[in-house]
Amino acid sequence: MSERHVLVLPDRDSAEEVVGELPDRFGVAEEPLLLRDALAGEDDAEDAQWLVVVEDPEGRLDPTALDGLAAEYDGWLEAP
């Protein structure tokens, strides 16, 4: 069962570090999508969250472990 996981991080540096951790810790081969998510009504980049979108075509990634990784960088795994 194919799944998509969205990790929410507080800034771009944290998001890029998480992207770098995914292949080693989880064996993610496909490059995750990195997106800026401006908070409602905010144009300032300082007020933006960053999303790391991880495709999981085989449904093998552990959501709890992904949430733990995001938490190491003051982020979280978005609930499906």
Side-chain angles (χ1 to χ4, degrees):
M1 169 190 259
S2 182
E3 294 184 37
R4 174 178 289 158
H5 305 282
V6 179
L7 288 77
V8 182
L9 287 304
D11 55 54
R12 184 179 186 135
D13 289 341
S14 297
E16 288 176 344
E17 288 185 38
V18 166
V19 167
E21 291 280 335
L22 288 167
D24 293 337
R25 290 173 76 168
F26 296 95
V28 173
E30 185 177 325
E31 182 75 19
L33 182 60
L34 187 62
L35 301 169
R36 180 180 178 270
D37 182 34
L39 298 175
E42 298 294 332
D43 292 327
D44 188 353
E46 295 298 319
D47 293 325
Q49 295 174 327
W50 285 81
L51 307 178
V52 176
V53 180
V54 182
E55 296 295 335
D56 185 12
E58 298 169 9
R60 64 176 185 78
L61 298 176
D62 178 9
T64 303
L66 288 170
D67 188 47
L69 172 61
E72 291 176 27
Y73 295 91
D74 297 322
W76 65 89
L77 176 67
E78 190 69 21

